[in-house]
Amino acid sequence: MSVLTDSSPELHRTGENVHSFATVGTLTCVECGYALAAAAMEHDLPTCPTCGGSRFRRTSIFERPSVDAGAVVPAGMEPPWLDAVRADAPEGTPLLAFQERGVAVTVALSEGWNRIGRSATADVRLDDPTVSRRHALVVLTGDGDLRALDDRSLNGLFVNGERVDWSPLQDGDELEIGRFRIYVVAP
């Protein structure tokens, strides 16, 4: 019973060989709550891609891994890399933008339903165990309106830190899908 009530979980640090203590599961940054999938890591535990933290703990199966968006990027502010994305965005084309391994990734939204998930058929494919096969949908109407819909995902869809089932979107909104923070760029 002490395992369930242990208030000081085992900590792991940047540089440790991941395969010596985990081959499956999720590790959470102690500083900001960012979740890393152990199976996606090759050898050594990296620094946290959002805050640069070096301490991680194994995420319990009884808790939902989450990131306090305010701890990663101050409320009302966007990450610095998003300015370059916005400057290069084609006029009138809404985008979804996120960082993967330090590189900005953009996906142009087409009119209609845009699927986001781990599935190979997703329009925005996020290959990570924290993302459901069919996680979310973003719809772009003929009038240019954007909306997000949770597609019955296990971890839920969060828009600007609030769990939603269906939500309107506008430029600068942040979607939390598993470990990913995806930003709406709607010029």
Side-chain angles (χ1 to χ4, degrees), residues 116-126 131-135:
I116 303 172
R118 208 175 63 238
S119 170
T121 61
D123 300 301
V124 180
R125 187 164 189 263
L126 304 172
V131 177
S132 296
R133 273 186 322 104
R134 295 173 36 187
H135 201 106

Side-chain angles (χ1 to χ4, degrees), residues 27-80:
L27 299 169
T28 304
C29 176
V30 172
E31 310 302 323
C32 71
Y34 188 84
L36 293 169
M41 290 181 249
E42 293 181 16
H43 298 289
D44 295 339
L45 186 58
T47 58
C48 178
T50 57
C51 74
S54 62
R55 298 179 310 141
F56 296 85
R57 67 175 177 82
R58 184 180 290 277
T59 306
S60 167
I61 62 171
F62 300 108
E63 68 185 66
R64 181 193 160 278
S66 67
V67 171
D68 175 4
V72 177
V73 176
M77 294 186 70
E78 296 174 338

